[in-house]
């Protein structure tokens, strides 16, 4: 198995969000069929700051639920979980931790042609730095 110098941003997101959002399924790919409520959390860009110990990741967090309020609340809970992981320096075992966090786009209702009637979607974008676990 190859040696990984920097942690997977996807693994870190899932490791932070799954325990905090136990009411929802959290994943990095959209399943078919999609269970509701559902949280999609994945990196969409970034680069190493220092390839030995620090990476910057731009991440997308989307939430789906059966009501607008539930989808919005789930997006707010995801935001709070990321902030708590950063502020408390939570280490996801075998992965790493969030060294810094900034919101690039706050959670917003984002309907689309692929989302069925009675399903609501929110999307937010964050930038974070990640460090490997010690």
């Amino acid at each position: 198995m190859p040696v990984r110098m920097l942690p997977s941003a996807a693994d870190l997101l899932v490791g932070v969000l799954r325990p905090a959002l136990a009411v929802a399924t959290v994943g990095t790919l959209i399943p078919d069929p999609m269970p509701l409520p559902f949280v999609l959390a994945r990196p969409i860009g970034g680069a190493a700051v220092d390839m030995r110990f620090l990476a910057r990741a731009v991440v997308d967090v989307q939430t789906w639920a059966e009501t607008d309020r539930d989808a919005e609340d789930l997006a707010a809970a995801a935001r709070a979980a990321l902030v708590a992981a950063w502020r408390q320096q939570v280490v996801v075992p075998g992965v790493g931790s969030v060294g810094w966090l900034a919101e690039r786009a706050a959670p917003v209702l984002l309907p689309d042609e692929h989302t069925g009637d009675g399903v609501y979607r929110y999307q937010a974008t964050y930038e974070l730095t990640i460090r490997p676990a010690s």
Side-chain angles (χ1 to χ4, degrees):
M1 175 176 256
V3 174
R4 180 182 280 275
M5 294 177 67
L6 295 170
S8 161
D11 290 348
L12 183 61
L13 288 168
V14 169
V16 166
L17 295 176
R18 272 193 184 145
L21 306 175
V23 300
T25 301
V26 177
T28 58
L29 299 171
I30 299 173
D32 184 22
M34 179 191 297
L36 292 177
F38 180 71
V39 177
L40 175 69
R42 62 184 176 187
I44 57 172
V49 175
D50 186 313
M51 287 187 271
R52 297 169 298 163
F53 58 83
L54 189 65
R56 182 179 62 246
V58 179
V59 300
D60 173 50
V61 177
Q62 297 182 48
T63 61
W64 285 264
E66 293 177 338
T67 70
D68 180 38
R69 172 57 67 189
D70 288 348
E72 182 181 21
D73 287 349
L74 193 54
R79 173 201 260 165
L82 290 171
V83 170
W86 165 50
R87 300 285 297 171
Q88 297 167 15
Q89 289 300 290
V90 172
V91 175
V92 175
V95 179
S97 62
V98 177
W100 173 81
L101 173 71
E103 187 171 72
R104 294 295 173 225
V108 62
L109 179 63
L110 193 62
D112 66 44
E113 66 276 3
H114 302 293
T115 303
D117 291 338
V119 178
Y120 297 84
R121 175 173 74 130
Y122 274 73
Q123 181 175 23
T125 307
Y126 304 94
E127 183 177 339
L128 46 92
T129 59
I130 55 177
R131 298 183 298 244
S134 301

